[in-house]
Amino acid sequence: MRSIHRLTLIVGAAAIAVATLAGPVVAQTTLENASAKYRQDLSEGNPADLWVARGQEMWKVPRGPKKVSFESCDLGLGPGVVKGAYAQLPRWFADAGRVMDLETRLVWCMVNQQGYTHAEATKQTFGNGSRHRSDLEALTAYVAKESDGVKMNVSLADPHVREMYDVGKKAFFYHAGTHDFACATCHAEDNVRIRLQYLPNLTKPEGAQKAYTTWPAYRVAQGETRTFQWRLNDCFRQQRFPDLIYGSDLSIALTTYLAASANGAVYVGPGIKL
Amino acid sequence: MTTRFPAVRLLGAAAAVAAAAGILYGCASAPSASEDAALTARTIAIMKASFKPKGQAGLDRLDQDETQRLCSQNAEGKLPDSIVKKIEQENLAAVKYPADGKLVGNWKEGEKVAELGQGMQFSDDPKKPNGANCYACHQLSPKQEAYGTIGPSLYEFAKKRGYTEETRRYAWAKVYDAEAFSACTNMPRFGQHHILTEQQIRDVVALLVDPASPVNQ
């Protein structure tokens, strides 16, 4: 029920989110359809729950050539511990020698514990309809849900994590490409909007908190539950940058910067957005 | 397609600029100029390794020109006046006016360009025309209520400024290369970066300066 309350926040702000990319006529129609679907979804609860349920089922099942379940997967709080795990990620993992966010860690477990190849594990990072569902989106939604109500507490004490935070912050202001865009172009000012969609100022704790604690989120217009890796990838697409590699160091650096900026706020995802 | 700058050159230049910026600011607070230069170099190396080409967006999109490089140092929102002047002068010098001197096209076509959001994304068909998506950030015609507020309202653009040659030339140059007037603006350089064709710029200028355009009603 609490999720319904935070949805109302998004309704006004995101009213014509879809108009951003399309012409006026197309936008109006898409908007009406999306709004109608949004109202329907609201009355039935957050469809992201379906991804959560699928992820929860997958968690305990032996998987891959080695027939190992995710209960051997250490997300930073011990093997198989999911409660509160999302709210303390990204973190340094000595066994992998890398700072990792949840999604990158899940792939690591699939490769190093379950025996998949990296290509197999990342074949469907983002789902595309019922025939091409993404296990990673479902697993991420499930683990994130297990932090619902937990305060964000990403530690920067480890120098590796601190470095990723600093790199992420630097990258946030990196202007390039045909349009000169950086993350900061759209996300470094209060109370501005693109078309009718208000944009969070991610350089301030309040903006970062409100944005980060509601991902992953069910995207009504897409009918999919999207993760933070997806959010970053699609931002860079609109920035006219090339394709952000799933689990790349830049994706982890930006996630570290934003997740740590959200520290102190209560995680309330998975959310729902137009 | 576009020129690919060697990464080495870019890294060296980034380090040099970062160091220079540290000297210019002359501040003693952490991080030091050399630490900041090292972080910039590390960030660029990570960025280079974190993307793959897709559609029309190659890795050359990550290479920065002088303006982009300087504006990326602008995290605190304050560049020294000398740098601001340098960026604006260099961009002003890069503005190309049409050879035939015709600055104003058809505002109805300009309205389409102002509405269209596609263009240059890896998901866009490069054979289709690029839009400018002016409405994403600006109010223009009062009939379009779905406008953004990142940029100023352009309603009554020429009605306020006067229907003069000066207004027309300013509108052309601003659309062509906005950095010429406002260093590190959020507005793309539509002419300089070949986002819009010369005719499309004419049409957008018409949307701004034609007395018959809804912008000036």
Side-chain angles (χ1 to χ4, degrees):
Chain A
M1 277 306 97
R2 190 159 52 74
S3 63
I4 304 292
H5 286 297
R6 60 176 185 272
L7 296 177
T8 51
L9 281 176
I10 306 163
V11 180
I16 304 193
V18 275
T20 315
L21 298 170
V25 181
V26 180
Q28 293 295 346
T29 323
T30 315
L31 172 70
E32 280 161 23
N33 291 345
S35 298
K37 177 110 181 9
Y38 185 67
R39 282 192 295 274
Q40 187 192 338
D41 286 339
L42 266 183
S43 67
E44 293 165 8
N46 188 347
D49 290 347
L50 298 173
W51 276 255
V52 171
R54 194 158 62 86
Q56 185 170 19
E57 269 171 42
M58 256 184 276
W59 192 259
K60 292 183 176 174
V61 178
R63 295 161 53 93
K66 293 186 183 166
K67 303 258 178 276
V68 172
S69 84
F70 279 105
E71 286 177 308
S72 312
C73 184
D74 186 348
L75 302 176
L77 303 176
V81 178
V82 288
K83 198 88 206 154
Y86 190 66
Q88 48 90 56
L89 288 167
R91 67 179 291 144
W92 168 256
F93 289 95
D95 56 6
R98 271 190 87 191
V99 177
M100 292 174 154
D101 66 345
L102 171 60
E103 292 168 78
T104 312
R105 185 61 178 175
L106 291 173
V107 170
W108 188 89
C109 289
M110 287 164 79
V111 171
N112 290 278
Q113 297 180 337
Q114 300 175 350
Y116 291 107
T117 65
H118 187 266
E120 285 166 348
T122 56
K123 191 167 172 241
Q124 196 83 50
T125 51
F126 309 134
N128 183 17
S130 55
R131 283 212 217 145
H132 301 282
R133 295 197 295 188
S134 165
D135 289 355
L136 283 165
E137 281 175 344
L139 289 160
T140 304
Y142 162 60
V143 175
K145 182 75 181 173
E146 291 293 313
S147 282
D148 191 2
V150 177
K151 262 192 190 170
M152 290 297 305
N153 57 333
V154 177
S155 170
L156 299 179
D158 184 288
H160 304 95
V161 183
R162 178 74 218 193
E163 191 202 20
M164 288 310 250
Y165 174 91
D166 290 338
V167 166
K169 187 173 182 184
K170 200 55 133 173
F172 190 87
F173 294 93
Y174 188 91
H175 293 266
T178 57
H179 287 54
D180 302 330
F181 289 159
C183 307
T185 305
C186 290
H187 294 295
E189 233 182 304
D190 292 334
N191 300 317
V192 292
R193 52 178 216 238
I194 283 188
R195 294 283 180 163
L196 294 182
Q197 178 170 32
Y198 278 93
L199 304 158
N201 180 352
L202 300 176
T203 65
K204 287 192 178 167
E206 314 84 71
Q209 288 171 342
K210 214 166 135 185
Y212 193 82
T213 57
T214 50
W215 286 95
Y218 178 76
R219 297 300 302 267
V220 176
Q222 302 186 20
E224 299 279 357
T225 296
R226 297 307 192 191
T227 64
F228 207 70
Q229 284 280 339
W230 178 88
R231 175 63 281 173
L232 292 174
N233 183 286
D234 207 55
C235 272
F236 278 119
R237 178 180 68 82
Q238 291 169 288
Q239 264 176 255
R240 275 73 181 177
F241 279 42
D243 191 12
L244 180 69
I245 296 168
Y246 190 88
S248 59
D249 278 343
L250 178 63
S251 71
I252 291 163
L254 283 165
T255 302
T256 304
Y257 170 52
L258 296 169
S261 299
N263 272 349
V266 175
Y267 180 75
V268 290
I272 181 169
K273 297 163 196 277
L274 270 182
Chain B
M1 217 166 63
T2 14
T3 334
R4 180 94 206 267
F5 298 104
V8 177
R9 201 198 106 189
L10 199 129
L11 286 175
V17 166
I23 292 159
L24 283 167
Y25 286 124
C27 57
S29 64
S32 73
S34 64
E35 280 168 352
D36 192 61
L39 179 61
T40 299
R42 174 94 176 109
T43 302
I44 291 172
I46 283 180
M47 291 193 79
K48 295 268 170 187
S50 294
F51 289 92
K52 53 179 190 266
K54 187 170 181 178
Q56 59 180 301
L59 294 180
D60 58 304
R61 294 270 178 101
L62 302 173
D63 298 332
Q64 294 176 308
D65 71 8
E66 182 76 349
T67 298
Q68 292 170 335
R69 200 149 47 76
L70 292 169
C71 291
S72 300
Q73 310 284 331
N74 196 25
E76 307 303 324
K78 219 174 148 65
L79 282 176
D81 287 348
S82 58
I83 301 282
V84 167
K85 207 168 275 177
K86 176 179 146 69
I87 292 170
E88 291 176 358
Q89 280 171 355
E90 282 179 7
N91 281 280
L92 191 60
V95 173
K96 282 196 197 108
Y97 293 90
D100 62 4
K102 198 174 174 319
L103 299 173
V104 184
N106 179 344
W107 69 260
K108 287 181 186 166
E109 291 303 311
E111 175 81 357
K112 290 180 199 163
V113 176
E115 284 284 9
L116 189 63
Q118 75 180 26
M120 313 297 251
Q121 298 169 122
F122 62 63
S123 52
D124 292 328
D125 180 351
K127 292 190 204 97
K128 290 188 179 163
N130 296 332
N133 208 6
C134 310
Y135 282 106
C137 298
H138 296 285
Q139 182 187 33
L140 288 128
S141 163
K143 282 175 208 152
Q144 176 53 280
E145 289 172 6
Y147 62 85
T149 57
I150 290 179
S153 170
L154 302 175
Y155 178 53
E156 299 187 323
F157 182 86
K159 196 177 178 184
K160 279 182 189 156
R161 288 173 175 80
Y163 300 102
T164 63
E165 181 66 7
E166 195 191 350
T167 301
R168 290 189 282 273
R169 283 180 70 83
Y170 169 65
W172 176 280
K174 181 77 184 179
V175 174
Y176 192 96
D177 189 334
E179 297 279 350
F181 305 95
S182 173
C184 306
T185 171
N186 291 323
M187 181 165 159
R189 293 171 280 176
F190 291 100
Q192 168 82 332
H193 281 175
H194 309 291
I195 300 165
L196 299 181
T197 65
E198 206 171 70
Q199 186 55 43
Q200 283 180 308
I201 298 177
R202 274 193 194 97
D203 294 337
V204 171
V205 168
L207 182 67
L208 292 169
V209 307
D210 191 325
S213 160
V215 166
N216 294 312
Q217 301 311 304

